[in-house]
Amino acid sequence: MNTLYEIYRKEMSKIADVGHAIAVLQWDKEVYLPKGSATFRSQQIATLSSIAHELFTSDSFTDLLNKLSVDDSLSEEQSRNIALTKRDHEKSTKFTTEFIVKKSQTISTCFQAWLSAREKNDHTIYLAPLTELMKIVREEAEILGYEGHPYDALLDYYEPMLTVEKLEALFTPLKQELKTILHKISSRPQVDNSILHKHYDKDEQWKFGIEVLRNMGYNFDMGRQDIAAHPFTTSFSSQDVRVTTRIDENDLGNMTWSCIHEGGHALYEQGLDPKNYGLPLGKYISLGIHESQSRLWENNVGRSKTYWSHMLITLKEHFPNQLTDVSVQDFYKAINKVAPNLIRTEADELHYHLHVIIRYEIEKELMEKTLEIKDIKSAWNTKYKDYLGVDVPDDNNGFLQDVHWAHGSIGYFPTYSIGSLYAAQFFDEASKEITDLDKQIGNGDNAPLLEWLREHIHKHGQFYDAEDLCKKITGEGLNAKYFIDYVSDKYAEIYGF
């Protein structure tokens, strides 16, 4: 037994304990926290954030990492843990405790302002706190350093080694391909999705959502679902992973696909190896890979005709009056209607990426200071008119719809599109390797797919970088061709072009 490595494991576990305590407080803040309780909650989170930062950047832990980084007696997995921890450590030591506390407190203030702005449908309430947070985010990028664009420093947080240059190489042809497919669809008769907008009782929707999660393989003995303004997944360990959803009684799709989407995230977290708790090999690789898991379940599975040949039977048990005469084919077309809309999380598979690209472009402009916070609403509304041809009627349907900026998560949005590209590539490979996968999903048996994802993705933690993992699974790096082929074939059938 390597004594130094065991000390490292214990220290990393302690740091993870503090981090997950913060996560519990943040989860509660977004789910159950009373309106008047935000002040001390912000202080509590800031205090714990500073403790975690001090533990991770202490002289003793720095010395420990330096010694282990040159220890040639470590196994391959141990060496990988040390290398990744050292990479994160080098970033963290660039920040003072004061900066960490300031950022944490500003995020808490900004989040509460976002909630208030959402409640009153008034973006002006949010502008001053968001402006302060943006100053901190820009400062953060400068502290981290970058070679190309200041946005690169933040992209690396969420998708290591991702840059503006790489994103432009992905997004430019993707936009063109989407434009081509959308043009073909526009010339065809529109499908009818009115069946999704009848009245669906919220309690019955909730019950159905629980069944959806169970059917996917989500373990409720190690998780739970709650209601939140913006659906999200949080993990306190692989044995305590929680999801949230929201319910609109006049839109069945809102709750249904938020459950499937967040369920995909949760399955990834529940599939991480508990023996690596607190270590890089016990954490997800990147947000792009994380998003691949949610988008794979949400779209490649959850919007397929095969999936609903089984799940529509269950859905009809909850809503017999609304869905009695609805066929699988009619339902399949309804849930895959392609039309421009205002809300990213409710967008179809094609327009969704235009929503993401709009956010990416705004974030990039914010980082290069060609756009200021006070001008976001105007820029947002103009881009929605230009890209999707829609007029934004109010703030909640505009840039107040996402919580990400209130969390200081600049650089997060591009991972949504990257995740969809990975998802199509991974699902294509799973379909080749799993015998009768389509038939199994059609019979309501998702266990073989989940087992494949566990074996090929979940269990590895951060042992592989995202691109290396993709090559290991599919034989090549990220290739948008799989996504384009998938949506081209799917929507050619639905719209008949």
Side-chain angles (χ1 to χ4, degrees):
M1 178 185 294
N2 188 314
T3 304
L4 283 180
Y5 189 80
E6 286 307 306
I7 294 173
Y8 157 79
R9 283 185 64 97
K10 290 179 181 178
E11 288 300 306
M12 288 293 283
S13 181
K14 184 191 300 182
I15 293 165
D17 289 344
V18 177
H20 290 310
I22 295 170
V24 173
L25 292 177
Q26 290 173 328
W27 168 81
D28 176 72
K29 181 177 72 174
E30 299 198 32
V31 178
Y32 290 120
L33 187 72
K35 286 183 180 180
S37 305
T39 301
F40 281 108
R41 178 55 50 84
S42 300
Q43 176 183 310
Q44 292 156 0
I45 291 173
T47 297
L48 289 174
S49 297
S50 68
I51 291 172
H53 180 71
E54 287 166 1
L55 287 171
F56 194 56
T57 59
S58 68
D59 291 341
S60 59
F61 191 69
T62 301
D63 183 57
L64 179 64
L65 281 181
N66 288 336
K67 289 177 180 176
L68 285 169
S69 65
V70 294
D71 188 340
D72 57 11
S73 70
L74 299 180
S75 68
E76 188 177 11
E77 288 192 356
Q78 290 173 336
S79 294
R80 178 67 171 166
N81 274 326
I82 296 300
L84 291 172
T85 303
K86 203 164 190 304
R87 182 187 70 184
D88 292 341
H89 181 266
E90 288 171 355
K91 284 185 178 181
S92 294
T93 53
K94 294 181 178 182
F95 298 102
T96 64
T97 299
E98 291 73 21
F99 181 88
I100 297 299
V101 170
K102 179 175 70 171
K103 182 182 177 183
S104 177
Q105 291 176 331
T106 305
I107 286 173
S108 293
T109 300
C110 199
F111 175 72
Q112 293 303 319
W114 175 77
L115 288 178
S116 179
R118 288 272 303 172
E119 182 180 351
K120 297 176 182 178
N121 200 5
D122 180 4
H123 79 285
T124 61
I125 297 169
Y126 182 43
L127 290 182
L130 186 58
T131 298
E132 289 305 306
L133 184 54
M134 193 66 221
K135 291 177 183 176
I136 292 173
V137 169
R138 286 169 175 163
E139 181 183 354
E140 186 174 15
E142 295 302 320
I143 293 171
L144 286 168
Y146 50 88
E147 292 183 4
H149 196 284
Y151 193 44
D152 293 350
L154 304 177
L155 289 171
D156 190 68
Y157 267 141
Y158 306 105
E159 194 69 19
M161 297 177 284
L162 183 63
T163 63
V164 168
E165 183 180 6
K166 291 179 181 178
L167 272 177
E168 291 293 334
L170 276 172
F171 282 173
T172 300
L174 178 62
K175 281 194 293 185
Q176 185 56 49
E177 293 287 356
L178 290 172
K179 181 179 178 181
T180 299
I181 299 171
L182 288 169
H183 178 71
K184 291 178 180 178
I185 290 173
S186 68
S187 66
R188 304 298 301 159
Q190 183 57 281
V191 302
D192 179 10
N193 73 341
S194 58
I195 55 175
L196 299 177
H197 298 283
K198 296 181 179 181
H199 182 266
Y200 292 91
D201 178 74
K202 64 180 181 180
D203 292 332
E204 283 302 314
Q205 283 198 59
W206 175 264
K207 292 175 187 176
F208 176 67
I210 298 297
E211 291 191 58
V212 165
L213 289 167
R214 290 191 191 281
N215 177 258
M216 292 170 65
Y218 178 72
N219 186 348
F220 275 96
D221 289 336
M222 298 181 181
R224 58 178 288 126
Q225 178 167 257
D226 292 277
I227 297 292
H230 188 103
F232 68 97
T233 300
T234 191
S235 173
F236 313 136
S237 75
S238 61
Q239 297 174 357
D240 188 356
V241 182
R242 308 188 185 187
V243 295
T244 61
T245 190
R246 62 185 174 201
I247 298 175
D248 181 343
E249 290 194 317
N250 297 308
D251 181 2
L252 180 64
N254 203 320
M255 185 280 306
T256 301
W257 279 276
S258 73
C259 282
I260 300 175
H261 180 96
E262 300 306 333
H265 281 305
L267 290 177
Y268 187 6
E269 292 287 343
Q270 289 187 336
L272 295 169
D273 193 339
K275 77 178 183 183
N276 287 316
Y277 173 79
L279 304 177
L281 296 196
K283 300 175 183 178
Y284 64 88
I285 298 170
S286 70
L287 283 181
I289 296 298
H290 222 312
E291 197 62 25
S292 78
Q293 302 307 281
S294 60
R295 299 295 280 177
L296 184 150
W297 284 101
E298 178 187 356
N299 293 325
N300 301 89
V301 176
R303 292 188 190 276
S304 70
K305 188 189 304 182
T306 301
Y307 178 79
W308 287 101
S309 65
H310 171 78
M311 288 305 294
L312 186 57
I313 297 171
T314 303
L315 183 60
K316 285 183 176 183
E317 292 173 355
H318 290 276
F319 300 106
N321 295 332
Q322 294 91 330
L323 300 169
T324 299
D325 299 323
V326 176
S327 68
V328 172
Q329 181 67 12
D330 289 341
F331 192 78
Y332 171 63
K333 285 188 174 183
I335 66 176
N336 286 292
K337 178 180 178 179
V338 173
N341 74 318
L342 291 163
I343 306 298
R344 174 184 61 85
T345 56
E346 299 167 15
D348 60 71
E349 286 182 272
L350 304 179
H351 286 99
Y352 182 86
H353 299 284
L354 298 180
H355 288 266
V356 171
I357 289 169
I358 286 171
R359 288 155 175 78
Y360 156 66
E361 291 178 349
I362 288 174
E363 289 187 344
K364 187 172 58 138
E365 291 167 14
L366 286 170
M367 289 307 297
E368 61 194 18
K369 298 183 179 180
T370 56
L371 179 70
E372 294 298 332
I373 295 297
K374 64 181 178 64
D375 300 316
I376 286 182
K377 177 177 179 177
S378 176
W380 180 288
N381 293 357
T382 298
K383 286 179 183 290
Y384 264 81
K385 184 66 174 179
D386 292 345
Y387 285 44
L388 287 93
V390 295
D391 294 306
V392 180
D394 57 22
D395 292 339
N396 281 354
N397 282 291
F399 90 93
L400 288 183
Q401 66 182 265
D402 296 302
V403 71
H404 301 61
W405 292 341
H407 284 164
S409 300
I410 306 295
Y412 191 127
F413 281 116
T415 64
Y416 287 125
S417 285
I418 289 172
S420 292
L421 303 184
Y422 274 127
Q425 197 163 341
F426 292 153
F427 191 75
D428 179 81
E429 187 63 29
S431 299
K432 294 173 183 174
E433 295 186 16
I434 302 173
T435 304
D436 294 327
L437 175 59
D438 202 49
K439 181 178 179 181
Q440 291 167 0
I441 293 173
N443 289 331
D445 183 8
N446 293 306
L449 175 59
L450 179 55
E451 183 181 348
W452 188 90
L453 294 169
R454 292 269 196 257
E455 180 65 25
H456 289 79
I457 299 171
H458 303 174
K459 76 173 189 179
H460 297 299
Q462 294 183 4
F463 188 79
Y464 302 100
D465 291 330
E467 189 77 357
D468 289 339
L469 179 72
C470 189
K471 290 176 181 176
K472 176 179 171 58
I473 295 172
T474 70
E476 60 180 310
L478 180 60
N479 188 342
K481 171 185 177 297
Y482 293 92
F483 174 77
I484 296 301
D485 288 348
Y486 154 67
V487 293
S488 296
D489 293 344
K490 177 176 181 175
Y491 290 100
E493 177 198 351
I494 292 172
Y495 280 90
F497 59 78

